[in-house]
Amino acid sequence: LLLMALRSNAAGVLGVLLTILIMIPIVLVLIVISVVIGLLMEFFLRACAVEQLGVTASIHRGWSLATSHLKDVVVVGFLLFGIGLGCGLLMVPVVLAVLAVVFGFVAGAWAISQSVGAAVVVGIVLGVPGVVFLAFLGGMFKAFTSSVWTLAYLRIAGLTTPPPLAEQAPVAAAGSL
């Protein structure tokens, strides 16, 4: 900004180029940090849920498992990244098909009625199920990735099955007091 304030084209171009050169490594470092934190979070969350540990204990347990089995964690992370990339590419035609159907019916409603209201109603009536369908597919993929991370955690932690849930006192049914 200071170089651009000089009102010189050469200084402005130099300022933009220097900003780009400085920001590229910063963005790359932030990407690496977010990937590392994301991989560690998978283990922190599973230590808390599977082994029923507290927050601090989950962080310690997840950290020790992830760092001691770093190769396995990276392999699972790359596999899920590749699967996610493939699923994302496969979702492009699905999303385009949903949009084509919705916009086709909206255009048909507009052509028949010449009314914005009718086109909006058709768009809402078909758009909401379309969004729900796409959210369902996204949820299925998230359930898959979560299951893979849980199975990887169980294998790395040496657990064949999750530990049993702690015994809880029975809850009195409503009206039985």
Side-chain angles (χ1 to χ4, degrees):
L1 287 176
L2 291 175
L3 290 175
M4 291 177 81
L6 296 175
R7 297 191 189 268
S8 165
N9 285 341
V13 169
L14 179 66
V16 168
L17 290 176
L18 286 174
T19 301
I20 291 172
L21 287 175
I22 291 170
M23 289 305 294
I24 288 174
I26 291 172
V27 168
L28 290 176
V29 167
L30 290 175
I31 290 171
V32 169
I33 289 172
S34 69
V35 167
V36 169
I37 289 173
L39 291 175
L40 288 172
M41 283 296 295
E42 297 295 342
F43 279 79
F44 299 163
L45 294 172
R46 273 137 192 97
C48 182
V50 171
E51 298 187 43
Q52 300 173 356
L53 301 175
V55 174
T56 306
S58 294
I59 292 171
H60 289 295
R61 175 75 170 151
W63 174 266
S64 68
L65 283 175
T67 54
S68 65
H69 295 87
L70 188 60
K71 184 179 100 179
D72 298 326
V73 173
V74 170
V75 167
V76 171
F78 272 127
L79 285 173
L80 286 177
F81 175 76
I83 292 169
L85 190 61
C87 285
L89 290 174
L90 289 174
M91 283 299 294
V92 169
V94 173
V95 170
L96 291 176
V98 169
L99 288 173
V101 167
V102 171
F103 285 125
F105 277 100
V106 167
W110 167 258
I112 291 171
S113 69
Q114 294 293 317
S115 168
V116 173
V120 168
V121 168
V122 168
I124 291 171
V125 167
L126 292 177
V128 170
V131 168
V132 169
F133 173 70
L134 294 175
F136 173 75
L137 293 178
M140 284 178 47
F141 181 74
K142 181 62 181 168
F144 167 75
T145 59
S146 180
S147 298
V148 170
W149 277 117
T150 301
L151 291 172
Y153 179 87
L154 291 172
R155 174 72 62 119
I156 288 171
L159 303 171
T160 55
T161 58
L165 295 174
E167 289 293 322
Q168 296 179 351
V171 178
S176 65
L177 296 176

